Amino acid sequence: MPSTFSFPTDFLWGAATSAYQIEGSPLADGAGASTWHRFAHTPKRTHHGDTGDVACDHYRRWHEDVALMSELGLRAYRFSIAWSRILPEGRGRVNRKGLAFYERLTDALLERDIVPNVTLFHWDLPAALDDRGGWLNRDIADWFAEYARIMYDALGDRVAMWATLNEPWVVSDGGYLLGKLAPGHSNLYEAPIVAQNLMRAHGAGVQAFRASNATGRIGLVVNLEPKYAASDDPRDLDAVRRADAYMNRQYLDPVMLGRWPEEMREIFGDAWPEPGAGDLDSINQPLDFLGINYYTRGLTAHSNARWPVFARHVNNPRAVYTETGWEVYPDGLRDVLQWVAERYGGLPLYVTENGAAFYDPPTAPDGVLDDPLRVQYYREHLRAVHAAMASGVPVKGYFAWSLLDNLEWSLGFSKRFGIVHVDFATQKRTIKASGRYYREIIRTNGGALG
Ligand code: FCB
């Protein structure tokens, strides 16, 4: 391992958040409800019934938060737009006040030389569209393109990086197969329809971008988990192949290679719908970059009990696990970056999320909040990014998840991912030791990883 870890001078150091997790005031200024607003307000759906009603109150404290980003030395900030603030009914009438919020935020970032990286859909679908079938309705590709066009017209002259969707796998798996996330369905027949429609919407969003006057670049953000076999038993190797197809290739193959993995039929059986004519052509649009969210790997074994993929995660007794039960496995980040570059070619890559929930107290002691496990997590994972780059993988930037402790979806406020601590009783922000460390990494362009 080299003792110096310098990164290219134009490496984009950033941090990420998403709208429903931090903004609060979900119905303010004429916004419509989202599926996440409804889901969190349904009894027993989230930990302690936590909702995004207040969250980090970022909708009102955005100015202070941009100052915080500047204090951290961030060069870029990845955030998402709440579709239902822009289009309260999901389509049709535009809510100018919602749009104005993101215009103000974008301008404040630019004033501080922070590159805005916008995700159009980070899971909070307008509830009005869910009422029309949401991701199950094929028309959603047009609905999404309509919304995307409004955003390209409004911010296209100022936003350098756009992503259509965040982690489509999670929407299909968590939202429609397992029901743990909004909209909370649990239906084998719905999940693949949703997966296909998500990718059709992605393709329509990219096509709308190409037809617009926007000056930036567009990509897709996927969460990848490299799968490793728990043993060399052929049944485990087969489980790895299926698990990899289900989580990783299901979304990247159609976008990058213009085909669905063969395993989709093996996994879903007759629930895998015959894709519509022309679907793959509209999905397989050239991208300017790919965003990869990485948290953990999947050490995988065959399991008869784990329908429909028949694969399960195996615990590694020698590893550290985060508060969300994810194995800390930095080499997986290097491996997955290398795998993407090899399989899909030399597209610029960004790590658009990487980080960890560890225990931090609800109230930060005055001054520093020590979070040594998170410091170590960042050090090791950034070393892995560096190793991937040293082997020739074109990684152009890295975004820590997350800027702030926030609403971790159905886990509520019980899991803290921030490099900045948030006291949810007072909304006080305190930069954690990991935040200070990250600032040092940025200041030294990686030198502090040594
Ligand atoms: C990712 C999500 C993000 C956050 C992290 C911990 O799957 O994109 O919103 O919840 O996990």
Side-chain angles (χ1 to χ4, degrees):
M1 178 93 22
S3 58
T4 56
F5 292 91
S6 72
F7 283 69
T9 46
D10 60 350
F11 193 78
L12 205 56
W13 298 101
T17 62
S18 87
Y20 191 71
Q21 293 180 276
I22 67 163
E23 286 178 354
S25 310
L27 304 179
D29 295 333
S34 73
T35 48
W36 264 97
H37 178 73
R38 281 189 181 169
F39 187 76
H41 279 271
T42 304
K44 300 210 170 69
R45 288 303 205 173
T46 67
H47 176 85
H48 279 170
D50 290 346
T51 72
D53 287 1
V54 178
C56 306
D57 201 21
H58 172 79
Y59 190 73
R60 300 192 306 152
R61 295 170 194 261
W62 58 275
H63 207 256
E64 178 194 333
D65 289 337
V66 173
L68 197 58
M69 295 175 211
S70 190
E71 199 182 329
L72 286 164
L74 298 187
R75 308 251 170 85
Y77 174 53
R78 174 174 177 246
F79 61 99
S80 77
I81 310 266
W83 184 341
S84 56
R85 289 197 196 280
I86 310 300
L87 291 153
E89 291 91 31
R91 45 188 300 220
R93 184 179 62 87
V94 175
N95 176 31
R96 293 281 153 202
K97 284 188 173 170
L99 206 52
F101 170 70
Y102 296 105
E103 285 172 335
R104 283 194 299 272
L105 175 62
T106 303
D107 289 340
L109 292 169
L110 292 174
E111 269 164 36
R112 301 225 183 219
D113 279 331
I114 299 171
V115 174
N117 176 347
V118 169
T119 300
L120 289 169
F121 176 72
H122 198 127
W123 307 356
D124 45 353
L125 188 73
L129 295 183
D130 195 49
D131 294 340
R132 295 166 179 244
W135 289 108
L136 290 161
N137 188 329
R138 272 182 74 82
D139 291 347
I140 199 161
D142 295 332
W143 303 339
F144 181 72
E146 176 187 336
Y147 156 57
R149 265 191 297 273
I150 293 164
M151 295 318 304
Y152 304 147
D153 287 347
L155 298 178
D157 57 340
R158 284 165 276 180
V159 167
M161 291 179 74
W162 296 86
T164 52
L165 314 177
N166 177 72
E167 303 189 354
W169 176 76
V170 174
V171 178
S172 167
D173 180 75
Y176 290 86
L177 181 70
L178 303 177
K180 290 186 180 161
L181 303 172
H185 301 192
S186 182
N187 186 322
L188 179 73
Y189 285 80
E190 290 184 357
I193 295 172
V194 166
Q196 294 189 10
N197 284 337
L198 280 159
M199 298 332 285
R200 291 178 49 253
H202 159 78
V206 174
Q207 284 172 288
F209 187 80
R210 301 298 179 210
S212 78
N213 292 321
T215 55
R217 295 176 302 147
I218 191 150
L220 167 72
V221 172
V222 289
N223 57 315
L224 300 180
E225 235 181 49
K227 306 292 182 185
Y228 305 82
S231 83
D232 50 18
D233 182 326
R235 296 202 322 157
D236 288 350
L237 298 177
D238 240 21
V240 164
R241 183 178 53 74
R242 286 192 305 273
D244 175 56
Y246 178 61
M247 185 162 178
N248 304 323
R249 286 182 279 121
Q250 181 175 187
Y251 299 89
L252 286 180
D253 279 7
V255 171
M256 306 295 297
L257 307 177
R259 60 172 195 252
W260 300 94
E262 278 170 18
E263 288 89 349
M264 302 325 300
R265 202 162 271 297
E266 182 183 346
I267 293 167
F268 285 109
D270 69 347
W272 178 253
E274 200 46 56
D279 281 6
L280 277 166
D281 289 341
S282 67
I283 295 169
N284 180 211
Q285 300 295 319
L287 298 184
D288 301 319
F289 69 90
L290 194 65
I292 295 167
N293 296 351
Y294 176 81
Y295 289 94
T296 190
R297 69 159 167 175
L299 189 58
T300 305
H302 176 89
S303 164
N304 281 333
R306 290 297 163 85
W307 163 98
V309 186
F310 300 109
R312 69 179 170 91
H313 266 217
V314 174
N315 263 31
N316 173 4
R318 286 186 297 276
V320 173
Y321 281 78
T322 69
E323 282 276 294
T324 45
W326 300 340
E327 181 186 351
V328 176
Y329 193 72
D331 284 352
L333 179 50
R334 181 203 58 208
D335 291 356
V336 88
L337 290 168
Q338 289 173 337
W339 173 76
V340 167
E342 222 164 86
R343 183 172 176 86
Y344 301 111
L347 189 71
L349 305 180
Y350 290 82
V351 176
T352 33
E353 287 181 25
N354 177 234
F358 288 113
Y359 174 77
D360 300 314
T363 308
D366 273 349
V368 182
L369 189 147
D370 263 322
D371 55 343
L373 294 175
R374 193 174 290 105
V375 167
Q376 194 177 334
Y377 186 97
Y378 280 114
R379 177 186 293 121
E380 292 178 352
H381 283 79
L382 277 163
R383 284 180 170 193
V385 171
H386 191 269
M389 291 168 72
S391 73
V393 180
V395 186
K396 304 296 181 191
Y398 174 93
F399 292 78
W401 183 274
S402 178
L403 175 70
L404 302 169
D405 289 338
N406 59 46
L407 179 89
E408 181 45 29
W409 306 110
S410 42
L411 302 176
F413 298 103
S414 69
K415 305 295 175 223
R416 292 177 178 269
F417 276 90
I419 56 174
V420 174
H421 180 274
V422 177
D423 181 332
F424 292 105
T426 63
Q427 291 296 338
K428 184 166 181 270
R429 276 83 163 130
T430 305
I431 297 179
K432 301 180 191 177
S434 56
R436 294 182 181 213
Y437 180 54
Y438 192 48
R439 175 168 59 195
E440 204 44 26
I441 292 170
I442 297 173
R443 197 186 63 76
T444 58
N445 214 16
L449 295 170

